[in-house]
Amino acid sequence: MIIFNSIEQLKSHLISIRDQKKIIGFVPTMGALHAGHISLVNKAKAACDVVFCSIFVNPTQFNDLSDLDKYPRTVENDCLMLEKADCDIVFVPEVMEMYTERELALKRQKVEDKSWTEGKEVDFGLLEKVMEGAHRPGHFNGVAQVVSKLFRIVQPQKAYFGQKDFQQLAIIKSMVAQLKLPIEIVPCAILREPNGLAMSSRNERLTTNERDIASIISKTLFKIKEQYNSSPISELKANAEARILKEPSIMLEYLEIVDAETLQPLNDLKKVKNAVACIAVKIGEVRLIDNVVLY
Ligand code: PAF
């Protein structure tokens, strides 16, 4: 496994791989890897000649600076896990390798920097107006900014994204379509802890007790799935919210039952088969999201 920190060195290595017509599978991450990430690497391994993983805690997608500071950073251990998973290339850039001073200054001033579209028309429309987009201003612009930069550097044929970030996946698919990038976006199923908690790098910040409590999140979503065809949406949402609110240490940010394509909230008059239940909560300082597809 080769580890690169510099874009220049990485690019010259990738040229020889492309010359050999090898299929590159890309797994972008922010590190603090867990079995969920490794399942993405394994999926890429099965379908590609070269598996490429990036580890970069992207400052422009954090709307809360303390969240950025506290994001777990475990690069050494991450690299050991990737080596064991037979990953071929790891890219671990510093912030100044990925961003110019100007781009970081715009972020600090909370100005939405659209330079990543390189003058093309990109509009996420209603996709970014709900859930994470509504609760984390600037988040998806930051995600699209870093992913488009990484796509331009790596030029993979396939890129792997976890379905835990359901809305992020929709945004990335939309970005790739609008920028007409020749990259196949491969969705990967959520991996769960034995108690049902969706695997996430942020789980590392939970105490054992909080992890136990957090099992209510997925239990609530699976209950919605069980009753989706037999109960009205208003009732499903009310019961789910009541269930979460009973747990005093969980703060509910949102719980939505949405159309899996448009991500717009459904109601009893507009109930589609292709739906997904999405949730965001805070346990102490730790923000967690999860979702369950209902079809
Ligand atoms: O899902 C993540 O870990 C991040 O949002 C991503 C896609 C690596 C971009 O920073």
Side-chain angles (χ1 to χ4, degrees):
M1 188 175 86
I2 317 178
I3 303 175
F4 290 95
N5 306 111
S6 123
I7 296 177
E8 265 329 291
Q9 286 169 10
L10 170 66
K11 273 187 171 167
S12 45
H13 183 74
L14 288 174
I15 288 172
S16 71
I17 291 177
R18 266 184 232 111
D19 283 350
Q20 295 167 56
K21 304 259 175 295
K22 291 196 168 154
I23 307 270
I24 302 175
F26 177 33
V27 181
T29 82
M30 297 208 297
L33 302 186
H34 49 69
H37 294 109
I38 299 304
S39 75
L40 270 58
V41 171
N42 291 339
K43 201 161 174 171
K45 201 79 213 160
C48 307
D49 302 313
V50 174
V51 176
F52 181 108
C53 184
S54 62
I55 299 175
F56 180 63
V57 182
N58 172 36
T60 69
Q61 71 188 73
F62 286 83
N63 49 320
D64 175 352
L65 277 184
S66 85
D67 194 23
L68 170 62
D69 275 352
K70 290 189 186 129
Y71 200 86
R73 288 160 171 89
T74 56
V75 176
E76 260 177 45
N77 190 50
D78 294 344
C79 288
L80 289 175
M81 285 173 76
L82 289 173
E83 178 129 53
K84 225 168 136 193
D86 215 9
C87 176
D88 300 292
I89 306 173
V90 188
F91 180 44
V92 193
E94 292 292 336
V95 171
M96 294 318 292
E97 189 70 10
M98 292 296 289
Y99 287 108
T100 60
E101 277 295 357
R102 183 176 181 278
E103 287 169 323
L104 295 173
L106 287 175
K107 180 67 196 177
R108 276 194 300 274
Q109 292 156 22
K110 297 193 175 16
V111 175
E112 203 156 81
D113 178 6
K114 288 280 181 192
S115 55
W116 58 269
T117 66
E118 297 187 342
K120 296 206 182 80
E121 193 59 50
V122 179
D123 184 359
F124 297 125
L126 292 177
L127 272 188
E128 66 170 347
K129 301 279 184 282
V130 292
M131 301 191 289
E132 292 303 282
H135 285 82
R136 301 182 69 189
H139 170 65
F140 285 124
N141 191 60
V143 170
Q145 186 178 26
V146 79
V147 173
S148 64
K149 276 176 189 271
L150 289 164
F151 279 178
R152 285 190 180 100
I153 299 167
V154 186
Q155 296 174 35
Q157 282 86 346
K158 294 169 187 278
Y160 295 76
F161 290 85
Q163 271 177 318
K164 187 173 77 68
D165 295 287
F166 200 87
Q167 194 172 5
Q168 168 173 281
L169 188 58
I171 293 279
I172 301 291
K173 279 188 194 157
S174 169
M175 179 189 89
V176 164
Q178 293 186 59
L179 291 177
K180 299 191 173 55
L181 302 176
I183 303 173
E184 181 195 344
I185 302 301
V186 185
C188 303
I190 299 176
L191 252 63
R192 296 184 180 280
E193 304 286 353
N195 73 357
L197 175 64
M199 286 192 185
S200 163
S201 306
R202 291 170 194 267
N203 294 352
E204 283 189 22
R205 294 176 55 206
L206 298 173
T207 63
T208 315
N209 184 36
E210 286 171 335
R211 275 183 190 237
D212 287 346
I213 292 169
S215 68
I216 189 80
I217 302 167
S218 64
K219 285 197 184 104
T220 303
L221 295 177
F222 281 108
K223 194 83 194 155
I224 295 178
K225 184 179 174 85
E226 206 181 291
Q227 300 177 339
Y228 185 62
N229 290 324
S230 55
S231 304
I233 289 187
S234 49
E235 193 180 309
L236 292 171
K237 274 190 74 175
N239 289 346
E241 281 168 6
R243 214 170 158 175
I244 298 281
L245 291 176
K246 251 197 246 154
E247 185 44 72
S249 47
I250 303 188
M251 212 273 285
L252 179 63
E253 230 173 67
Y254 63 79
L255 185 145
E256 295 289 358
I257 298 175
V258 302
D259 181 314
E261 293 298 318
T262 65
L263 302 190
Q264 300 313 295
L266 298 172
N267 55 45
D268 294 331
L269 297 174
K270 191 169 173 283
K271 197 171 178 184
V272 297
K273 235 178 117 203
N274 241 11
V276 53
C278 302
I279 191 168
V281 303
K282 262 186 152 179
I283 301 187
E285 289 288 289
V286 187
R287 190 172 183 280
L288 301 172
I289 59 170
D290 194 359
N291 67 79
V292 167
V293 289
L294 306 176
Y295 45 93

